[in-house]
Amino acid sequence: IKLIIGIFFLFLTPKYVIASEYIPRGYFVIDLKNKIEWMTCPVGMVWNKNTCNGMAKKYELKFLPDIINIANKQLEGSWRLPSRKELESLICDECKGVKINQKLFPDTPAQPFWTSQKNWWSPKFIWSVNFFTGHSYGRFVPEKKLFVRFVRDR
C-alpha cells in the first residue's frame, strides 16, 4: 500500500520529481535544457560568494571579441554571446521587476542585453533581449551600448 500511495503521489506532484533546469555553480550556471553554461553575473561584475559585485557595463558589439578573449583566458572555456533563443530562455514571465530569476542571476539590470544574431528583416540591426519587458527587439545598431551575459557550450 505504501508503494501505491507513493506512486500516486508522484503522479499528482510532478514539480517535486522533475530536476531543476538550472544548477548554480558559483560564477556560472549550468542550463540543462539548452546544454550550455551561463555566466552568473553580467559582464563588468564579479561573482563573490552569493552575489555579483561591481557594476554591469554596456558595450558596443565591436569591443566584445576582445572581452570574450579575456573571459576565455580568465575563466577557461569558449565563452560567446548567446543566440536570441538561448537568451530568451532566461526570461521569467512570473518574476516581479526584472524578468529573470534573480536567485540564479543576481543584480541583472532590467534592460536590453546583446545576442549574437542579426535581425533577418533588417541585417544592420542586432537582436536583443530586454529583461525589463521580457521581449526581444531587433532594432539596435552594433554601435549601441547594451549589457552582455556570456554563455559557453557544455
Side-chain angles (χ1 to χ4, degrees), residues 114-126:
W114 282 122
T115 75
S116 62
Q117 290 181 256
K118 289 184 177 183
N119 182 332
W120 53 89
W121 294 306
S122 187
K124 72 177 184 173
F125 297 107
I126 310 297

Side-chain angles (χ1 to χ4, degrees), residues 2-74:
K2 288 182 182 179
L3 178 62
I4 294 171
I5 292 170
I7 291 171
F8 182 71
F9 181 73
L10 289 176
F11 285 113
L12 286 178
T13 57
K15 66 183 177 182
Y16 296 111
V17 295
I18 296 173
S20 172
E21 292 179 2
Y22 301 100
I23 302 170
R25 290 288 184 245
Y27 74 90
F28 68 96
V29 175
I30 299 170
D31 179 339
L32 297 171
K33 186 173 88 175
N34 292 310
K35 297 180 180 142
I36 53 180
E37 296 174 346
W38 294 97
M39 277 191 181
T40 302
C41 304
V43 172
M45 301 182 88
V46 177
W47 177 251
N48 186 11
K49 297 183 183 174
N50 293 319
T51 191
C52 296
N53 289 337
M55 295 283 295
K57 295 188 172 139
K58 295 180 180 182
Y59 293 96
E60 295 178 33
L61 279 180
K62 69 181 179 182
F63 295 112
L64 294 184
D66 290 334
I67 296 168
I68 288 171
N69 284 335
I70 292 167
N72 288 338
K73 288 177 186 173
Q74 291 180 356

Side-chain angles (χ1 to χ4, degrees), residues 66-95:
D66 290 334
I67 296 168
I68 288 171
N69 284 335
I70 292 167
N72 288 338
K73 288 177 186 173
Q74 291 180 356
L75 302 175
E76 300 177 357
S78 298
W79 294 99
R80 60 178 173 79
L81 275 175
S83 69
R84 177 183 171 193
K85 182 180 175 182
E86 288 170 336
L87 197 55
E88 286 174 339
S89 75
L90 296 182
I91 295 293
C92 173
D93 291 323
E94 310 83 48
C95 293

